[in-house]
Amino acid sequence: MTERPAPFFYAADGDAFTPTGLAASPWERGKQNGVALGGLLTHLVEQVPATVAMTTARLTIDILSAADFAPTIGRARTVREGRRIQMVEAELLTGDRVVARATALRVRKADTPMIATPNPYPPPEDVAPSDFMGDRAFGGSMETRLVRGGLRTRGPGTLWVRFAHEHVKGVALSPLLRTAILGDFGGGLGSEVDSEVWTYANLDIAVHLVREPVGEWLLIDARTASAGQGVGRSDMVLADRDGPFARAHQTLFIAARG
């Protein structure tokens, strides 16, 4: 039996990346979605070499404007080079316009004391399969197991996810790229507003990591805060089977529908 090819968000062509249907925005026709852009920026960041073994301690992604559904140029550079700390920046352009930007702070790897973090989450095997985003999400390649909450359930939510797509065709998903994609789920999973009345698009993603995740199954535990002034904040714990490995945040632009 022939194995089905992994679905992918982009096909690379030199410095340009051509989006597929997976990259299409569900909110605005003819635009790209945030998962696609954030994942592509993370891919670009990871192509920049370091002089010593390093781990990414912080990854920030800013969506600067709606990105046309068109070939997208990717550029990355080292902002600060060092043997202890390195700063990498990446940006995406459609036409001559910068539509998204990312910055990664890398820190040299070294043996240092471990500070244990409690792991309150059940393993994915103890949670029933769910249909969190529909069977066509991510080209039908994503598995989810909902611990609590839901995409259209107001309040905090906790979800196990296993990705099986490729973000750029022919390139396997890295632990950091899986993390960046998962960090885009917080606003929807932990929403506190009525989605029939309000929209809550995220403007950015910020992830602080103490280590890279291990294994295919990743967990997100998300909740939302807002002071009722048109802005919200999604706060997330990201974990794997061994427990939490990162915290992530999104700035949410809350607006009335219509």
Side-chain angles (χ1 to χ4, degrees):
M1 182 176 178
T2 303
E3 185 176 348
R4 178 190 173 196
F8 55 93
F9 278 72
Y10 296 94
D13 183 12
D15 292 336
F17 298 85
T18 302
T20 69
L22 269 66
S25 171
W27 308 109
E28 190 174 0
R29 192 168 184 176
K31 305 297 181 182
Q32 299 180 54
N33 63 55
V35 168
L37 298 173
L40 184 55
L41 284 166
T42 305
H43 167 78
L44 291 171
V45 162
E46 292 196 291
Q47 305 312 301
V48 178
T51 57
V52 298
M54 289 193 168
T55 185
T56 299
R58 188 191 72 218
L59 175 68
T60 57
I61 297 168
D62 291 298
I63 308 300
L64 305 178
S65 66
D68 292 336
F69 193 84
T72 301
I73 301 298
R75 301 191 298 216
R77 66 189 183 101
T78 301
V79 178
R80 173 184 173 179
E81 187 68 89
R83 296 182 63 81
R84 295 189 299 175
I85 296 175
Q86 182 193 48
M87 184 79 74
V88 176
E89 184 179 79
E91 61 183 13
L92 299 177
L93 299 87
T94 57
D96 59 355
R97 187 165 52 97
V98 177
V99 295
R101 181 176 289 125
T103 303
L105 174 65
R106 292 169 171 170
V107 177
R108 60 88 183 94
K109 288 185 176 181
D111 291 330
T112 56
M114 292 183 63
I115 303 171
T117 303
N119 183 8
Y121 305 111
E125 292 80 14
D126 291 352
V127 184
S130 62
D131 189 18
F132 177 66
M133 294 176 64
D135 58 8
R136 292 191 297 175
F138 288 69
S141 66
M142 182 176 67
E143 295 181 65
T144 60
R145 301 193 176 193
L146 192 63
V147 179
R148 64 167 175 168
L151 189 59
R152 305 195 187 284
T153 302
R154 294 168 62 179
T158 307
L159 178 77
W160 281 105
V161 181
R162 178 159 66 179
F163 300 113
H165 69 284
E166 294 176 344
H167 213 79
V168 175
K169 184 179 181 182
V171 182
L173 289 180
S174 69
L176 183 63
L177 212 161
R178 294 175 189 271
T179 301
I181 295 170
L182 191 64
D184 196 75
F185 282 31
L189 177 62
S191 174
E192 292 280 1
V193 299
D194 186 345
S195 61
E196 298 294 325
V197 180
W198 303 95
T199 62
Y200 38 89
N202 68 291
L203 303 176
D204 64 0
I205 303 170
V207 185
H208 289 77
L209 305 94
V210 294
R211 62 174 175 85
E212 289 189 342
V214 177
E216 294 183 339
W217 282 104
L218 300 182
L219 178 138
I220 176 172
D221 186 355
R223 60 187 63 233
T224 297
S226 177
Q229 298 181 6
V231 63
R233 187 190 70 243
S234 173
D235 299 319
M236 296 162 269
V237 175
L238 306 183
D240 56 19
R241 294 177 184 274
D242 295 334
F245 64 86
R247 287 187 178 267
H249 308 276
Q250 291 175 307
T251 302
L252 305 177
F253 184 86
I254 301 176
R257 288 190 179 275

